[in-house]
Amino acid sequence: MLHTCHQPTLDPALTHWLNTALKSERWTLASLPGDASFKRYYRIHLADQTWILAHAPPAQLSIQSTLTLTHTLMHHGLPVPAVYADDQSQGWILQEDLGTLHLSDHAYTQKFHDYLPQAMHYIERIQTLEHRHFKLMDQALLRQECDYLPQWCLQHCQVQWTQKTHQDYTAACADLIESILPTTPVPI
């Protein structure tokens, strides 16, 4: 077994699930930068292949909306990573690795200007999809998103979160939510 991880421990259930999904025990796992949510991302290496493992703890997030959105965008001809395996009860998605290069990596180069029209075309196509395909960004969901930041800052940024900071942040979120609603449904 070559399982390695840039995390303190590797869940035995995840190890078994990946062994089954990859049909091998000779993979390695490296942590990737995430976002300001409970989701975590890892790059899986096996021989000369790589995949991305996304994990959303089921107690905090459901992967169902991610899977639905991926299927919808793919069905409408938009480029999204293929999903190879998922376990909704554990919050795991094994998906295609699109690499480490981003459009922003080409900023100030000709490639950026070559790729930008295609990126804008995809954005326009997403905006024309029927709203029924997307979860509505309502007040409760906006509040939930606002609640992630303090948790993330406290855990990852070692920010001093005082009572005054909390009061100011809560007021700012209330103003932000009021200014956003009603909003057009967005893909989340």
Side-chain angles (χ1 to χ4, degrees):
M1 272 187 237
L2 295 176
H3 310 147
T4 61
C5 182
H6 296 229
Q7 302 296 321
T9 59
L10 189 57
D11 181 346
L14 174 60
T15 299
H16 175 72
W17 185 77
L18 283 171
N19 288 348
T20 302
L22 298 171
K23 297 176 179 64
S24 174
E25 296 181 357
R26 301 188 56 79
W27 47 267
T28 60
L29 180 136
S31 183
L32 296 173
D35 54 22
S37 77
F38 293 102
K39 290 180 185 168
R40 297 293 170 255
Y41 301 93
Y42 307 90
R43 179 164 281 119
I44 309 291
H45 295 267
L46 174 61
D48 61 347
Q49 293 181 287
T50 61
W51 297 265
I52 297 297
L53 172 69
H55 180 243
Q60 283 88 19
L61 297 168
S62 168
I63 63 170
Q64 182 57 53
S65 63
T66 299
L67 294 170
T68 299
L69 180 60
T70 298
H71 175 75
T72 299
L73 294 176
M74 188 177 289
H75 177 74
H76 285 88
L78 291 153
V80 293
V83 173
Y84 298 118
D86 68 82
D87 183 331
Q88 292 186 45
S89 69
Q90 296 295 320
W92 300 323
I93 301 174
L94 184 64
Q95 59 194 29
E96 179 181 9
D97 185 352
L98 299 179
T100 59
L101 199 58
H102 303 95
L103 181 60
S104 62
D105 295 332
H106 293 293
Y108 310 110
T109 70
Q110 183 57 45
K111 281 190 177 202
F112 180 83
H113 296 287
D114 294 342
Y115 292 137
L116 192 58
Q118 186 66 44
M120 296 305 293
H121 172 72
Y122 292 143
I123 291 170
E124 289 172 7
R125 288 190 59 197
I126 290 169
Q127 291 174 333
T128 63
L129 294 178
E130 293 180 43
H131 293 173
R132 68 180 170 86
H133 294 297
F134 305 122
K135 189 173 180 181
L136 286 173
M137 183 62 89
D138 60 9
Q139 186 170 6
L141 194 53
L142 285 168
R143 168 59 46 209
Q144 181 181 2
E145 291 294 319
C146 284
D147 289 345
Y148 287 147
L149 183 64
Q151 295 170 34
W152 189 81
C153 283
L154 291 172
Q155 183 179 2
H156 299 288
C157 301
Q158 300 171 349
V159 170
Q160 189 86 349
W161 201 262
T162 65
Q163 184 63 29
K164 172 78 169 114
T165 305
H166 180 73
Q167 290 171 345
D168 291 345
Y169 181 73
T170 300
C173 283
D175 290 344
L176 179 65
I177 290 169
E178 186 177 321
S179 71
I180 290 174
L181 292 177
T183 187
T184 302
V186 293
I188 55 171

